[in-house]
Amino acid sequence: MTQVATPPHTALAPESAARRDRRPTRYTRAIALFVAPFGVLFALFYLVPIVYAIVQSLYVVQRTGTYGPAREVFGGLAQYRLVFSDGPFWGSVGRMLAFGAVQVPVMLGLALALALLLDSGLVTGRRFFRLAFFVPYAVPGVVAAIMWGFLYSPNLSPLKPITSTVDLLSADTVLWSIANVVTWVYVGYNMLIIYSALMAIPTEMYEAAHLDGASRLRIAWSIKIPLVMPAIVLTTVFSIIGTLQLLAEPQVFRSFSSAVSSTYTPNMTVFSMSAIPNFNLAAAFSVVLALTTFVLSFAFLKTTQRRGMP
């Protein structure tokens, strides 16, 4: 009886299969090793504080008698009932929504215009202007607010012909004075994001448009802006989040204008509540503010997707 020899590749098949089975495990361990530092820091400085704030917001402080020791007891949603009945807090949220409805489009419009100008080739010394536009972002927000606060002050400003005519720190104008500071600081930051997206567009598209007789303005409107729309959406989401988290600039302006109260912005409300101290109510304010920010950002993203934007 003749014995049929087993082909070499068939004999090695189990060994190859075992090697393929071990390979994903090795890659998984490598991925876990590289991701672990970020995961640990993300959990410690992001997830843990969120969970801690939610837990704290579910407790209330009670005292036995007038001068008895304070103790925390579980209060359920009692703190959230106080949040939703707090008029100054929701007034500050509405104030920041009005702030963002004007300041964010102006800021991103300027950032887009500067990015298109740098990418147009009409400007010489693009490296210098790119750095010059970005420099305000390197100035801390507190320092920028102090600087602009002195420029707005009628008694200290070198722009007295303007400040003596228009009170830039009054109750009617101080919000937009703060908006000017925020715009001055963040235009360069958003410009760099949009400009980076413009640099990623293949130059062949511009050359083809030139051959078809398109002008620079037409190329910018029909090619550049649609292709950098994801970057514009990204900067808009960042701006929405930053608007509701505004703290440093209005906090500094409290020393320049009596129109800025301790509850002028949502974050100032949280800060003043924690300074009382009432950490449980401040935690409830923080949770509601975080959810409001998430809802607005998510609604904006869904709206842009429905309109066919990337």
Side-chain angles (χ1 to χ4, degrees), residues 103-282:
Q103 187 269 335
V104 172
V106 171
M107 177 181 63
L108 296 184
L110 289 173
L112 177 61
L114 293 176
L116 291 173
L117 182 62
L118 290 178
D119 190 64
S120 65
L122 299 174
V123 178
T124 57
R126 282 186 294 179
R127 292 183 179 179
F128 168 78
F129 285 105
R130 186 172 57 197
L131 179 61
F133 295 151
F134 182 74
V135 161
Y137 180 70
V139 178
V142 174
V143 176
I146 293 174
M147 180 185 71
W148 280 97
F150 279 110
L151 291 176
Y152 293 148
S153 179
N155 299 324
L156 303 173
S157 175
L159 308 175
K160 285 190 177 182
I162 299 176
T163 56
S164 60
T165 305
V166 180
D167 186 2
L168 298 173
L169 297 175
S170 66
D172 296 328
T173 59
V174 68
L175 180 64
W176 311 116
S177 298
I178 296 173
N180 178 64
V181 178
V182 176
T183 302
W184 180 79
V185 172
Y186 287 98
V187 161
Y189 167 79
N190 293 294
M191 181 272 297
L192 277 185
I193 296 177
I194 299 173
Y195 182 65
S196 300
L198 285 171
M199 294 183 67
I201 300 175
T203 57
E204 291 80 3
M205 300 186 66
Y206 304 150
E207 295 173 356
H210 276 301
L211 292 175
D212 290 339
S215 63
R216 293 181 183 272
L217 183 61
R218 183 65 177 177
I219 292 174
W221 181 258
S222 300
I223 298 177
K224 293 184 178 182
I225 293 179
L227 290 179
V228 300
M229 193 56 66
I232 296 175
V233 171
L234 176 67
T235 54
T236 304
V237 172
F238 287 166
S239 300
I240 292 173
I241 296 172
T243 296
L244 290 175
Q245 292 181 346
L246 197 63
L247 175 64
E249 291 82 359
Q251 187 71 26
V252 171
F253 268 67
R254 285 194 67 192
S255 59
F256 293 100
S257 174
S258 59
V260 181
S261 64
S262 60
T263 59
Y264 198 73
T265 68
N267 258 355
M268 290 179 68
T269 303
V270 176
F271 181 77
S272 62
M273 192 60 58
S274 61
I276 292 178
N278 190 341
F279 298 114
N280 304 104
L281 185 55

